[in-house]
Amino acid sequence: MRTAVFRKANFNSAHRLHNPQLDDKTNEALFGLCNNPNYHGHNYDLIVKLIGEINPQTGYVFDMKILNDIIKEEIIERFDHKNLNMDTVEFKNLNPTAENIARIIYELLRSKIEVKYELEITLYETPRNYVVYPVK
Ligand code: NI
């Protein structure tokens, strides 16, 4: 009876990809437009996947209203309309790549969702670039 349920969400954030240990030229070569010194924005699409047993009493795997509230409180309020590098503690010293953002989102949600549920994060940075964390 294990079933996957999904909730989609969206947030807009600014970022700059930059490794302070590398020189400007190398950073530009590595990160291209995402290295723009004055930052730039992305429209991030988030898909949160939970896997669990169907509760016979409710017929639900997880109450989607509660999942939506957790995503709102932990992710949207923290990152939406923020400059990830400047406005968040999570990315003060961590390059805000889609990979790292997905991992941080996973950790933030993992701490609020019982371990009996499997959790997987899909994060679209652009319609054609997306990452999945964790990978089994
Ligand atoms: Ni970018």
Side-chain angles (χ1 to χ4, degrees):
M1 296 286 267
R2 273 162 53 82
T3 300
V5 297
F6 300 78
R7 176 79 199 181
K8 290 181 174 178
N10 174 271
F11 57 94
N12 296 286
S13 306
H15 77 168
R16 181 191 190 202
L17 301 185
H18 185 80
N19 181 340
Q21 288 168 329
L22 303 172
D23 64 52
D24 287 352
K25 222 178 137 182
T26 309
N27 269 295
E28 210 186 317
L30 268 177
F31 300 121
L33 289 173
C34 279
N35 184 240
N36 177 28
N38 291 332
Y39 306 93
H40 62 279
H42 289 284
N43 185 9
Y44 290 96
D45 280 319
L46 170 65
I47 302 170
V48 176
K49 175 186 182 182
L50 287 190
I51 300 175
E53 299 285 339
I54 298 175
N55 180 328
Q57 209 165 36
T58 60
Y60 289 161
V61 169
F62 198 92
D63 185 327
M64 295 305 255
K65 162 90 173 67
I66 294 173
L67 181 57
N68 184 39
D69 287 346
I70 294 171
I71 294 169
K72 235 188 240 167
E73 281 164 30
E74 290 300 317
I75 310 303
I76 308 305
E77 285 173 13
R78 194 182 304 258
F79 297 141
D80 188 38
H81 286 72
K82 299 284 172 66
N83 179 316
L84 296 176
N85 306 75
M86 298 175 77
D87 301 335
T88 75
V89 289
E90 289 79 10
F91 299 104
K92 206 124 248 173
N93 298 303
L94 179 67
N95 213 12
T97 59
E99 291 87 334
N100 281 331
I101 298 168
R103 186 168 57 79
I104 293 292
I105 289 173
Y106 173 86
E107 284 165 9
L108 289 166
L109 295 181
R110 186 74 277 183
S111 69
K112 299 288 172 183
I113 292 168
E114 287 176 84
V115 290
K116 70 176 180 178
Y117 297 102
E118 255 182 65
L119 174 63
E120 183 187 274
I121 301 305
T122 302
L123 183 70
Y124 282 78
E125 187 173 74
T126 73
R128 283 185 268 195
N129 286 349
Y130 67 99
V131 303
V132 173
Y133 182 85
V135 175
K136 298 206 181 71

